[in-house]
Amino acid sequence: SNRDIYTELFGAAALPDIGAASVARFDYDPFVTRLHILTPAGARNTITVVNIADQNCFALAADRPLVITFSARGSFRLLDGLLLDEFSDRGETICTFVSFESFEANRFRMLDEGRAVLQLMDNDVALIGGEEAEQHVTRALRACRGRSLGELIAHTEACIAPVLSKGRVEVRDPKLQAVLDLNRRIVYSGIDEGGACFGALNRIYHLIWVRDGAMTTALMARAGNPDLLRLWTPFLLRNPSHVRLPNGMVVPEFLQMLGTRWTKAEDDGLFYAALTCFTHWQTTGDDTLLHGPEFSLLLDAIDRALDKTFDAARGLVGSDTLGETSLT
């Protein structure tokens, strides 16, 4: 699975004063997570991590002094209040950055072995992330730098509020309501601006699953929020995977992943493509895709699947996906 092929932004990063046993409690949220620290010596701290919704970075702050160390993948370039490291990962250039108030105010040190040591003071904000080029880092910092932790949280909540305000299921049990609301935030955090669901951050799931995007956007639409389904449906139907048949002919299919020959014979992909198309028409009333090449392509894929898997004698559709692959 691709979930183990992720981009490491740093050679290493650590909180040397805090061990795993020091995390007394954590309040998880995909956009604002808080770690409540209690060390064996009795020292307390609360670390807040903000996943800034419209930038490729997150903010880290603590209500008491906190030491963070970083090692570069390549080598750090130092500017006042900014660490930059540019390296190549699977053919792509990545520019890692750590932004902080200033060398002096944050007690910055560069150790002989190459580690950068940053001491954040009470409620100082460090911005940590990775971009495609230094000019994109500049753009991200222009949007976020100089804002307090509270301002960054408010900005992120304002970014996600228009989507999360739609299709909210309400129940009387406050604990269940909290679970439902948290899970809605988790699902939304995994959806790309184009409607695709990577399941995690960009380069972890660097291929797009048919199933993930279809399940999330179709169910959101049925709950009353079809906005992301409007993006996902044409994207899915116009980007099938491509399979080479034994006779050399290349045909479009809806298997595990979109728009690539790197896929597996997961026959539920075709079901989720059909579910996407149907739910789009059902919840939006827009039948444009039913009169274009997308619908014909989907029907042809269904016909090919039935030719391979339908047993007329049994009246059942079988599966050739032993272990998610037909190689067996």
Side-chain angles (χ1 to χ4, degrees):
S1 173
N2 294 297
R3 70 194 71 185
D4 297 322
I5 309 174
Y6 50 83
T7 294
E8 294 182 345
L9 293 181
F10 302 96
L15 303 175
D17 296 337
I18 297 172
S22 300
V23 181
R25 190 180 91 249
F26 70 94
D27 300 323
Y28 171 71
D29 179 274
F31 294 101
V32 184
T33 292
R34 290 182 174 87
L35 303 175
H36 300 273
I37 305 302
L38 177 61
T39 68
R44 296 178 180 272
N45 207 340
T46 299
I47 301 171
T48 302
V49 182
V50 183
N51 176 10
I52 300 173
D54 60 347
Q55 301 295 334
N56 290 326
C57 67
F58 62 91
L60 189 149
D63 61 2
R64 291 175 174 83
L66 180 71
V67 174
I68 317 173
T69 66
F70 299 97
S71 298
R73 284 277 301 267
S75 60
F76 283 128
R77 182 155 57 92
L78 308 182
L79 303 172
D80 191 15
L82 184 63
L83 293 174
L84 294 170
D85 177 25
E86 193 167 278
F87 59 89
S88 179
D89 186 81
R90 295 193 301 277
E92 293 187 86
T93 298
I94 308 294
C95 189
T96 294
F97 62 94
V98 181
S99 169
F100 49 96
E101 186 178 333
S102 69
F103 287 155
E104 180 180 2
N106 289 271
R107 303 180 185 180
F108 176 85
R109 295 291 183 272
M110 200 75 190
L111 303 184
D112 291 341
E113 74 270 23
R115 276 191 304 160
V117 181
L118 188 67
Q119 185 176 41
L120 299 182
M121 304 309 289
D122 302 4
N123 297 314
D124 283 344
V125 174
L127 298 171
I128 304 167
E131 272 287 5
E132 295 178 352
E134 187 173 339
Q135 61 264 33
H136 296 153
V137 174
T138 302
R139 180 187 61 194
L141 295 182
R142 189 182 301 121
C144 302
R145 206 172 192 178
R147 293 189 178 189
S148 68
L149 180 64
E151 289 171 335
L152 291 171
I153 292 173
H155 169 74
T156 290
E157 293 296 337
C159 286
I160 63 179
V163 171
L164 294 178
S165 64
K166 298 178 182 179
R168 183 172 182 261
V169 177
E170 296 186 357
V171 295
R172 294 178 179 177
D173 183 338
K175 290 184 178 180
L176 178 56
Q177 185 69 63
V179 170
L180 290 174
D181 289 342
L182 174 60
N183 276 276
R184 293 174 75 254
R185 292 169 70 90
I186 292 169
V187 169
Y188 184 44
S189 73
I191 297 178
D192 182 77
E193 281 184 284
C197 181
F198 288 83
L201 298 177
N202 180 355
R203 296 176 198 279
I204 297 177
Y205 271 16
H206 54 271
L207 296 175
I208 300 168
W209 266 243
V210 174
R211 177 192 302 139
D212 293 19
M215 282 197 294
T216 50
T217 57
L219 292 175
M220 289 170 78
R222 292 182 63 142
N225 181 11
D227 293 359
L228 289 164
L229 186 65
R230 288 191 177 98
L231 297 172
W232 166 254
T233 306
F235 176 62
L236 166 63
L237 296 181
R238 293 166 187 169
N239 289 280
S241 50
H242 294 90
V243 177
R244 186 180 298 277
L245 301 179
N247 63 7
M249 181 180 178
V250 176
V251 296
E253 300 281 9
F254 295 97
L255 299 175
Q256 184 192 47
M257 300 175 195
L258 271 68
T260 175
R261 64 189 181 90
W262 298 106
T263 191
K264 290 181 178 180
E266 289 189 351
D267 49 8
D268 67 347
L270 181 58
F271 163 76
Y272 282 113
L275 175 71
T276 293
C277 185
F278 175 75
T279 308
H280 180 269
W281 167 78
Q282 182 188 44
T283 58
T284 69
D286 182 356
D287 64 355
T288 304
L289 294 171
L290 303 182
H291 300 287
E294 299 87 356
F295 194 48
S296 296
L297 190 150
L298 176 61
L299 293 180
D300 289 345
I302 292 173
D303 288 341
R304 278 192 297 273
L306 291 176
D307 287 342
K308 289 189 297 183
T309 60
F310 181 66
D311 186 324
R314 293 182 174 87
L316 297 172
V317 173
S319 174
D320 66 353
T321 56
L322 297 174
E324 295 189 348
T325 175
S326 53
L327 289 177
T328 301

